[in-house]
């Protein structure tokens, strides 16, 4: 990220105009302060637009990685800028759902543009009766089925990598890539 001199960017607050009358006609003083104006103009422009830097939908593209680090968002400079902005904007919401079916399906939809279905609970179990017998241990495997949206191809390696980072560490996640929505969808 670099905020450097922008050729031709005028200063909103030229220093030469603010000098005492004694220096108003001094060529050296005016040239010297004009050089400072060139350096300070991007600073003033940045400060004037500071709220925009904290909105991922408006921030400069080179600022997105830093903004993503503030909210623990996923950012990949190889992604299209629109996707990067959306990933940063939704990072806090996705953290709230991390480790859940909804969180995994939303992340897959956002980052890879695929639809997903998650089956299994990863081995979670509980009892409704305090001090009672625990139910039988469920299968510890989670099945993540993905299929393309709008006929796009699915990159199975990227799906597996993302699922590996988002599934809770105590679970075994298996990924199936389907050519379309499962026949039993919605049951």
């Amino acid at each position: 990220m670099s905020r450097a001199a922008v050729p031709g960017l005028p200063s909103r607050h030229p220093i030469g105009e603010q000098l005492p009358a004694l220096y108003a006609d001094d060529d050296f003083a005016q040239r010297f302060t004009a050089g400072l104006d060139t350096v300070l103009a991007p600073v003033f422009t940045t400060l004037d637009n500071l709220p925009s830097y904290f909105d991922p939908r408006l921030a400069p593209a080179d600022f997105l990685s830093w903004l993503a680090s503030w909210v623990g968002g996923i950012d990949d400079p190889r992604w299209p800028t629109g996707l990067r902005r959306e990933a940063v904007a939704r990072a806090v919401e996705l953290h709230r759902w991390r480790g859940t079916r909804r969180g995994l399906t939303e992340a897959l939809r956002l980052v890879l543009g695929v639809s997903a279905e998650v089956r299994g609970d990863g081995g979670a179990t509980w009892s409704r009766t305090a001090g009672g017998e625990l139910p039988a241990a469920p299968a510890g495997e989670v099945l993540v089925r993905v299929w393309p949206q709008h006929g796009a191809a699915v990159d199975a390696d990227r799906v597996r990598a993302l699922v590996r980072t988002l599934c809770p560490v105590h679970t075994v996640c298996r990924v199936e890539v389907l050519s379309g929505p499962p026949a039993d969808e919605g049951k």
Side-chain angles (χ1 to χ4, degrees), residues 2-186:
S2 172
R3 301 285 163 254
V6 178
L9 181 67
S11 176
R12 294 186 60 205
H13 310 284
I15 298 171
E17 293 177 8
Q18 299 174 27
L19 293 176
L22 173 68
Y23 298 107
D25 293 329
D26 184 339
D27 183 54
F28 174 75
Q30 292 300 318
R31 284 186 291 120
F32 180 75
T33 57
L36 294 175
D37 288 339
T38 302
V39 173
L40 293 175
V43 173
F44 290 138
T45 301
T46 300
L47 291 174
D48 289 345
N49 296 296
L50 196 58
S52 299
Y53 281 77
F54 302 117
D55 183 342
R57 292 181 177 96
L58 300 174
D62 64 342
F63 196 76
L64 288 173
S65 292
W66 194 40
L67 196 55
S69 72
W70 289 4
V71 294
I74 302 169
D75 181 54
D76 187 339
R78 296 171 296 178
W79 294 347
T81 304
L83 175 59
R84 293 177 65 209
R85 291 181 188 287
E86 190 64 24
V88 174
R90 295 196 52 209
V92 174
E93 174 193 353
L94 289 175
H95 281 304
R96 180 175 39 232
W97 296 107
R98 188 169 183 130
T100 67
R101 291 177 181 169
R102 179 178 176 179
L104 183 56
T105 57
E106 287 295 319
L108 286 165
R109 182 181 349 269
L110 173 67
V111 175
L112 301 178
V114 297
S115 294
E117 171 186 77
V118 180
R119 292 187 177 187
D121 58 12
T125 186
W126 63 91
S127 173
R128 293 179 188 240
T129 309
E133 288 286 320
L134 288 176
E141 182 178 87
V142 173
L143 173 62
V144 180
R145 300 166 95 186
V146 298
W147 60 93
Q149 290 182 345
H150 315 296
V154 176
D155 183 344
D157 292 332
R158 289 185 67 202
V159 169
R160 286 186 191 94
L162 185 61
V163 167
R164 208 174 13 256
T165 62
L166 295 176
C167 271
V169 73
H170 72 281
T171 61
V172 175
C173 294
R174 186 167 53 96
V175 175
E176 284 183 5
V177 178
L178 308 174
S179 58
D184 59 344
E185 183 182 15

